[in-house]
Amino acid sequence: ETNTLPFHPFENHQGDILRMEKEHQVLKEQLKEAEEKFEQLQSRSLEETGALEELLKKSIEETKVSQNELDWFHQDSETQMKKWQQEKKENRENLKALRSTAKKHSDTNERYLKTIDDKQKQYNVCLNTFLETSNKFANEKGKLEELIKKSQEDSQECVKRAVKAEVSVLQNWKETEVWKLKGNIAKAEVNLRMLKALSSSASAAPVLKAQIDSWETFLSNVKKQLEKVEAEYEEKIELVKNGARNCLSEVEVVDFPCP
């Protein structure tokens, strides 16, 4: 649309049409110059003819004075007449050549004008086709943009639902493991209270001390495991909420045997 490339098939190179128009303008100027030169030559010929007629008139009047002068005048007139006729003949030939050139240029100009008109019509057809295609593509682009927008909205909704589902699964796994570990903690605390109550007897204290130590170690390990499980599951839940992928896996839990 900005004419930055050759307009095929009407131009082989950039600016062919403009160059033809410039050549046509140059030919018109040359024709105008030739016509001006012809008018100048014709005017000069008329002036010379007038001068010769005046000279002839003067020579006739002077025949009364001298026959020799009259003969000389006739000879000179004949010479001038021949010269003028020769110039007239040359001017006619030049005029004929100029007219032929002008006709040739006129025919060329008409041919160029016809070619330009045909190319303009073809250009208009191509432009209309381009505009129709452009409008069609614009409509299709609008429809595609609407579909893309809808797909993006659906995708975002699916992502939200997926995140919610993953968070729910991780939360369930966390609650299950926490429930198990807290059950072990409660069991260990009950056993420790029982063992400590029985160890109040001096005779039983040495026997129960090893068991109390074992249960305290077990309780400490389970509490550490509980903190680890809660922290790792919370970390996974936060990663999923922030858009991380491949986080849906259970936290490894060490199963400590009861003493």
Side-chain angles (χ1 to χ4, degrees):
E1 292 183 356
T2 57
N3 197 23
T4 58
L5 294 173
F7 184 49
H8 294 292
F10 314 115
E11 290 183 326
N12 293 325
H13 302 285
Q14 171 72 23
D16 281 348
I17 294 177
L18 294 177
R19 184 167 61 255
M20 286 192 290
E21 291 179 351
K22 291 180 180 179
E23 291 176 356
H24 169 60
Q25 185 63 30
V26 170
L27 292 174
K28 287 177 65 177
E29 292 176 358
Q30 291 178 352
L31 176 60
K32 182 179 179 181
E33 182 179 358
E35 290 176 348
E36 291 176 354
K37 288 182 178 180
F38 169 73
E39 290 176 357
Q40 291 175 1
L41 291 173
Q42 189 176 32
S43 176
R44 189 176 66 183
S45 298
L46 292 174
E47 291 175 358
E48 291 179 355
T49 301
L52 290 173
E53 289 176 351
E54 290 292 330
L55 182 60
L56 179 59
K57 182 179 179 180
K58 182 178 179 181
S59 297
I60 291 173
E61 292 176 352
E62 290 178 352
T63 53
K64 299 177 181 179
V65 179
S66 174
Q67 185 65 36
N68 292 331
E69 291 180 355
L70 180 60
D71 294 338
W72 173 83
F73 176 74
H74 282 300
Q75 292 176 358
D76 185 66
S77 297
E78 289 177 358
T79 302
Q80 293 292 334
M81 185 63 68
K82 289 179 181 180
K83 181 179 178 181
W84 176 79
Q85 288 178 350
Q86 183 64 29
E87 289 180 355
K88 185 177 180 181
K89 181 180 179 181
E90 292 176 357
N91 289 337
R92 285 179 178 177
E93 291 176 353
N94 292 334
L95 178 61
K96 184 178 180 180
L98 289 174
R99 285 177 177 174
S100 177
T101 303
K103 187 177 184 303
K104 181 180 178 181
H105 291 166
S106 178
D107 294 340
T108 303
N109 180 42
E110 291 179 0
R111 187 170 64 254
Y112 286 161
L113 289 176
K114 186 177 183 301
T115 301
I116 292 171
D117 185 60
D118 293 341
K119 290 182 178 180
Q120 184 66 35
K121 290 179 181 178
Q122 294 176 2
Y123 168 77
N124 291 333
V125 171
C126 293
L127 179 61
N128 293 332
T129 303
F130 167 76
L131 292 176
E132 291 177 0
T133 305
S134 177
N135 293 333
K136 181 180 178 181
F137 285 159
N139 293 332
E140 292 180 357
K141 179 182 177 183
K143 293 179 181 179
L144 289 174
E145 287 177 348
E146 291 178 0
L147 291 174
I148 291 171
K149 183 179 179 181
K150 186 177 183 302
S151 298
Q152 289 176 344
E153 292 175 354
D154 294 342
S155 175
Q156 292 175 357
E157 184 64 25
C158 291
V159 169
K160 290 180 181 178
R161 288 162 56 190
V163 169
K164 186 177 180 181
E166 290 185 9
V167 169
S168 177
V169 171
L170 291 171
Q171 192 71 33
N172 290 334
W173 286 346
K174 173 189 171 185
E175 292 176 357
T176 300
E177 295 298 334
V178 168
W179 179 81
K180 290 179 182 178
L181 292 172
K182 284 185 176 180
N184 291 334
I185 291 172
K187 180 179 178 181
E189 289 177 345
V190 169
N191 289 334
L192 278 173
R193 284 196 299 270
M194 186 182 300
L195 290 171
K196 286 180 180 180
L198 293 174
S199 66
S200 59
S201 172
S203 60
V207 178
L208 297 177
K209 185 177 185 308
Q211 294 185 18
I212 291 172
D213 291 342
S214 297
W215 277 104
E216 286 180 345
T217 301
F218 173 77
L219 180 62
S220 175
N221 290 333
V222 173
K223 286 182 177 179
K224 291 179 181 179
Q225 187 69 20
L226 176 63
E227 293 177 357
K228 173 179 174 296
V229 168
E230 288 181 335
E232 290 188 10
Y233 270 114
E234 287 298 327
E235 182 180 359
K236 284 178 176 289
I237 290 171
E238 288 300 320
L239 288 174
V240 171
K241 289 181 178 179
N242 291 331
R245 295 291 179 268
N246 300 323
C247 295
L248 193 62
S249 61
E250 295 186 46
V251 174
E252 184 179 356
V253 179
V254 179
D255 188 12
F256 295 104
C258 293

